[in-house]
Amino acid sequence: MEIRIEKTQHPKKRPSDDEILNIPFGKVFSDHMFMMDYKEGKGWHNARIVPYGPLSLEPSACCLHYGQLIFEGLKAYKTADGSIVMFRPDQNMARMNNSCDRMCIPQIDEKEVTKAIAKLVEIEEAWVPSAPSTSLYIRPFILADEAFLGIHPSGSFLFVVILSPVGPYYKGGLEPVKIYVETNYARAVKGGTGFAKCAGNYAGSLKSQAEAEEKGYSQVLWLDGTERKYIEEVGAMNVFFVIDDTVVTPELNGSILSGITRKSVIEVVKSWNMPISERRISIDDLICAYESGKLREVFGAGTAAVISPIGELKYKDTVMSINGGKIGQISQRLYDEITGIQTCTREDKFGWIYKVK
Ligand SMILES: *Cc1c(COP(=O)(O)O)cnc(C)c1O
């Protein structure tokens, strides 16, 4: 892929690591972005790295009306020796193509796009923070930009990658959060778009999230869209339980998003020779496990927070206090191992690190 590079004439001052630790997630963006265009018959073309700035779209652009829009999220880290690395970008690109397929968006060249992202990150090297728990969040997305109001797949698309230096997702460190089990709204159904990282899924979840916040909970636990019985995910994270000595997570069923952190947790747990079970688990089974004292830990897993311990779950009138509201041993151990690999302070036994420079 040939990439044209146009450097900004007005570089911004990158916030200091201290400032990054205090700005909200995803509010500040680096100086440049990557873009390329797609036209039917021509394919992806015009790859370029240009100054970060507003996009120009027709008001009739397809994505603005019918939501043909997908995204990804991954991170780059600065290591102690000054190298810059990304965590499992191949997995994000493979998932992006799955999302593309579901939303009638043309496939991207996973290897070439990974290289283009690495090039952008390299150009923005100075934007990669180095303080503990900081990273450069990478947001690739594809939007349908053909100007028409008919409901059919767009004939043109724009692929964009923007970068945002971020601190830890939870400012107070690895703090257990309170989760509300959603019994009214649904996030996704089998046959729907739950497994795709498409914009509409998140718009549809905002009301549930807002109502949970009003009740004093930080996120919701989603149950299946048909029966509101089987556990799916927590907010925009996958969910794990430690029941007795087994790590349990809902199996991928078409409505759950296949997280790369989820996949990494499973591989790490297996490497520890600890039992792991990907299976259907109902909220009633979970309550049984809780009541018999077998539910030892609950945590969410996703790129933004990596591991997010859950200290309380509320389902209807049942309030489950998990591990006395404290971080569980396995949650902490997984957090240390995965963030250690990400920042190259622990051995990359699995080959997950992609070196940018
Ligand atoms: C992105 C996302 C996740 C987590 O995926 P990661 O690849 O681990 O970041 C889980 N659930 C939903 C709904 C998501 O959007």
Side-chain angles (χ1 to χ4, degrees):
M1 188 191 289
E2 284 266 336
I3 305 176
R4 178 171 63 82
I5 297 173
E6 178 195 332
K7 290 274 182 79
T8 179
Q9 298 301 308
H10 310 283
K12 292 176 282 200
K13 194 177 154 289
R14 194 260 272 176
S16 69
D17 282 16
D18 271 355
E19 285 164 335
I20 288 167
L21 287 168
N22 289 302
I23 44 183
F25 190 86
K27 272 267 194 185
V28 170
F29 298 95
S30 75
D31 283 327
H32 298 90
M33 59 185 179
F34 172 83
M35 291 210 273
M36 65 179 176
D37 304 318
Y38 180 93
K39 279 265 164 346
E40 223 161 15
K42 195 169 178 190
W44 289 107
H45 62 283
N46 193 19
R48 58 210 187 267
I49 290 173
V50 294
Y52 177 94
L55 303 176
S56 168
L57 287 178
E58 296 265 349
S60 56
C62 177
C63 64
L64 299 177
H65 302 270
Y66 308 121
Q68 203 184 2
L69 210 174
I70 60 148
F71 68 96
E72 269 302 324
L74 65 158
K75 283 175 171 175
Y77 303 85
K78 188 165 277 172
T79 69
D81 69 358
S83 311
I84 293 174
V85 300
M86 296 193 284
F87 184 68
R88 309 192 80 177
D90 54 313
Q91 297 289 322
N92 291 89
M93 293 304 108
R95 184 171 67 191
M96 195 164 206
N97 267 339
N98 285 339
S99 300
C100 283
D101 181 60
R102 179 64 183 84
M103 303 305 286
C104 293
I105 295 172
Q107 297 283 294
I108 54 162
D109 182 325
E110 296 170 21
K111 287 219 163 67
E112 287 299 312
V113 170
T114 305
K115 280 195 236 162
I117 293 174
K119 183 75 197 164
L120 176 67
V121 171
E122 194 185 338
I123 286 177
E124 300 289 60
E125 185 188 344
W127 285 84
V128 190
S130 56
S133 314
T134 63
S135 58
L136 186 68
Y137 185 75
I138 304 169
R139 168 53 59 86
F141 59 105
I142 303 178
L143 58 96
D145 64 355
E146 193 182 342
F148 73 99
L149 294 179
I151 300 181
H152 62 81
S154 178
S156 71
F157 295 88
L158 183 61
F159 179 107
V160 190
V161 184
I162 55 176
L163 307 175
S164 175
V166 295
Y169 198 72
Y170 296 108
K171 301 292 172 238
L174 213 54
E175 271 298 308
V177 292
K178 285 168 67 179
I179 301 291
Y180 184 83
V181 182
E182 178 60 73
T183 51
N184 180 25
Y185 302 107
R187 189 192 89 91
V189 291
K190 284 196 185 69
T193 56
F195 70 88
K197 238 175 153 69
C198 63
N201 287 349
Y202 305 85
S205 73
L206 297 176
K207 197 165 166 64
S208 159
Q209 169 72 25
E211 290 181 9
E213 280 174 22
E214 259 167 43
K215 296 182 190 106
Y217 290 84
S218 73
Q219 292 197 35
V220 301
L221 181 77
W222 295 107
L223 301 177
D224 73 282
T226 316
E227 297 179 74
R228 305 288 190 286
K229 189 172 170 192
Y230 299 101
I231 294 166
E232 299 233 306
E233 318 193 33
V234 55
M237 288 185 287
N238 295 109
V239 67
F240 286 82
F241 307 98
V242 182
I243 300 176
D244 278 333
D245 291 319
T246 303
V247 179
V248 179
T249 192
E251 66 187 350
L252 300 178
N253 60 359
S255 53
I256 292 175
L257 191 114
S258 171
I260 291 146
T261 318
R262 175 187 183 278
K263 190 169 183 171
S264 306
V265 164
I266 292 171
E267 288 169 51
V268 168
V269 169
K270 281 184 180 159
S271 79
W272 290 343
N273 290 320
M274 206 179 270
I276 175 123
S277 165
E278 291 179 67
R279 63 173 166 91
R280 202 164 73 156
I281 173 164
S282 70
I283 186 73
D284 295 328
D285 286 348
L286 192 75
I287 290 171
C288 276
Y290 174 74
E291 285 174 348
S292 58
K294 292 177 177 168
L295 179 60
R296 293 168 44 203
E297 298 184 34
V298 183
F299 60 89
T303 295
V306 187
I307 299 292
S308 176
I310 293 171
E312 182 183 315
L313 274 172
K314 180 180 163 68
Y315 174 67
K316 295 183 178 165
D317 293 329
T318 306
V319 175
M320 294 180 259
S321 167
I322 317 294
N323 194 37
K326 294 194 299 289
I327 301 165
Q329 233 176 13
I330 294 170
S331 311
Q332 181 73 53
R333 201 174 156 207
L334 280 165
Y335 179 84
D336 293 343
E337 178 71 9
I338 295 173
T339 56
I341 294 172
Q342 288 169 335
T343 52
C344 301
T345 55
R346 293 207 180 178
E347 187 198 344
D348 178 23
K349 292 183 280 248
F350 305 93
W352 288 341
I353 291 305
Y354 180 106
K355 201 159 170 165
V356 171
K357 76 164 282 258

